[in-house]
Amino acid sequence: MLQADVVVIGGGIIGVSTAIDIVERNPSTKVMLLERDIVPSGASSRNAGFACVGSASEIFHDVNLLGSDAALDIIEQRRSGLSLLRQRLGDDGLALESYGAHEVFAEHHPALDALDQLNDLLRPLYNDTFFTRCDDRIGHFGFANTHALVYTPFEGIINSGRMMESLWGMASSKGVCIRTGCEVTSIDGSRIDVSTPNGQRTVLAERIVIATNAWPVTVDGVTRDEYVPARGQIVVTSPIDDLRLRGSYHMDEGYVYFRSLGDRVLLGGARNLDVAGEQTFAMETTSMIQGRLVELLDTVILPGRQYAIEHQWAGIMGFSIDKRPHVERYTQHVIRAFGCNGMGVAIGSTIARMAAQEAMQ
């Protein structure tokens, strides 16, 4: 019961998708998935449900940071990851709503002058115009203090809980042995030490895939903590009469994002106000970030509208320094899969496929 050919640590989108990919490649492989909570409690179940590859200002920033070729390669990995996720679960399994997306610019941004270049960059992937400026819609949405609006049809919103439920159900149906309440304390060779509600246990596996986001792990006595946590905070409003928002919206080079949630507004981000302070594993909300989110609701998104904040929470994302996904072999037995960089819904399946391929070699 405590042995497997492959053990995947972490039940989020990368972990469970890796397990699925492995058994799809070889159904006779015994795969065990270890999750420390009853359900995934990191970014996979606490994200805002954006199925996107990046806003205009974010892609513009990445092009200038990484170069056109590298930025396009990352976008293609996100695009192919979304395609794989939709093929695997179907749109019903994601509760996908394809309304497209808008980016709200409070002031002029150089990305607005580069829309033609960005469209040229993305056309080989989408065979169409990706970004279109549409300032005439500002009044329709009721935005205030808005300089410009840019639209893309190539984006959707999902129900993250539905996605994870569908992925876990698929993994179980394919024979993946899922064990919850299992917190891995260390890995030594092919031995995995696990803390459970009933005490310490040991699991043996020939191959081990670590998919625990940015959380540190100890492998053969060495603690690996080379990835950076980034907390994302979220608020959800009360129902709003005659809400005209549909789909997803972005601001501040992707640092701020909001969407319609029925007749409510879900708004998150703003960690650029305190980048160092938000590099934490504490799933708590802070008055600084929450205050900024409410300010944006009052001054830009819902000016003059009556609402209350009914829900708020935080989730932990993980970032690599170069914004690229990483699948690394630590030892003969251990592989780590990481690097969603705030785009787990999009790129998680791509990283999982890379991890499954490495694990099966």
Side-chain angles (χ1 to χ4, degrees), residues 177-248:
C177 177
I178 298 177
R179 294 286 181 261
T180 60
C182 298
E183 183 171 2
V184 173
T185 56
S186 66
I187 301 169
D188 187 3
S190 61
R191 170 191 172 117
I192 307 167
D193 292 325
V194 179
S195 176
T196 77
N198 294 316
Q200 290 292 125
R201 297 289 186 267
T202 297
V203 180
L204 300 178
E206 181 60 30
R207 286 152 289 174
I208 302 164
V209 179
I210 303 171
T212 55
N213 205 342
W215 267 263
V217 293
T218 300
V219 179
D220 292 352
V222 178
T223 299
R224 310 297 295 254
D225 60 354
E226 57 266 61
Y227 301 117
V228 180
R231 179 169 57 193
Q233 300 188 38
I234 304 287
V235 299
V236 178
T237 72
S238 57
I240 297 169
D241 292 336
D242 191 29
L243 181 67
R244 296 187 178 184
L245 303 185
R246 287 294 179 270
S248 50

Side-chain angles (χ1 to χ4, degrees), residues 276-288:
E278 294 302 294
Q279 290 177 351
T280 176
F281 291 105
M283 290 196 191
E284 303 169 352
T285 59
T286 64
S287 58
M288 176 190 294

Side-chain angles (χ1 to χ4, degrees), residues 132-212:
T132 304
R133 188 160 174 172
C134 56
D135 298 355
D136 57 313
R137 299 183 189 177
I138 295 173
H140 169 76
F141 293 125
F143 296 146
N145 300 304
T146 299
H147 169 73
L149 205 60
V150 171
Y151 173 73
T152 177
F154 299 101
E155 186 166 325
I157 51 178
I158 68 165
N159 182 309
S160 300
R162 175 81 65 84
M163 174 187 71
M164 293 311 304
E165 185 177 35
S166 299
L167 283 171
W168 273 40
M170 174 173 285
S172 180
S173 71
K174 290 181 178 293
V176 176
C177 177
I178 298 177
R179 294 286 181 261
T180 60
C182 298
E183 183 171 2
V184 173
T185 56
S186 66
I187 301 169
D188 187 3
S190 61
R191 170 191 172 117
I192 307 167
D193 292 325
V194 179
S195 176
T196 77
N198 294 316
Q200 290 292 125
R201 297 289 186 267
T202 297
V203 180
L204 300 178
E206 181 60 30
R207 286 152 289 174
I208 302 164
V209 179
I210 303 171
T212 55

Side-chain angles (χ1 to χ4, degrees), residues 9-137:
I9 303 171
I13 184 172
I14 294 179
V16 67
S17 298
T18 299
I20 291 170
D21 221 302
I22 290 172
V23 295
E24 285 180 344
R25 291 167 182 265
N26 188 348
S28 66
T29 304
K30 183 179 180 181
V31 180
M32 182 181 294
L33 177 70
L34 303 180
E35 167 57 41
R36 64 179 178 175
D37 211 333
I38 295 176
V39 296
S41 56
S44 292
S45 60
R46 292 172 173 260
N47 65 74
F50 281 56
C52 63
V53 301
S55 65
S57 63
E58 183 178 4
I59 294 174
F60 178 83
H61 174 270
D62 288 351
V63 167
N64 283 278
L65 177 68
L66 306 172
S68 296
D69 290 344
L72 187 64
D73 183 54
I74 293 172
I75 293 168
E76 167 56 17
Q77 290 176 322
R78 295 169 181 169
R79 187 199 67 81
S80 60
L82 279 172
S83 177
L84 175 57
L85 186 63
R86 292 181 68 180
Q87 290 173 17
R88 180 166 278 160
L89 300 182
D91 291 354
D92 287 343
L94 298 167
L96 177 69
E97 300 176 16
S98 300
Y99 291 118
H102 293 81
E103 181 167 13
V104 180
F105 292 86
E107 58 187 19
H108 186 76
H109 189 283
L112 294 169
D113 300 322
L115 292 181
D116 288 342
Q117 292 94 314
L118 294 176
N119 285 328
D120 289 342
L121 177 71
L122 296 171
R123 189 164 283 110
L125 299 183
Y126 291 90
N127 196 32
D128 202 348
T129 299
F130 198 90
F131 294 118
T132 304
R133 188 160 174 172
C134 56
D135 298 355
D136 57 313
R137 299 183 189 177

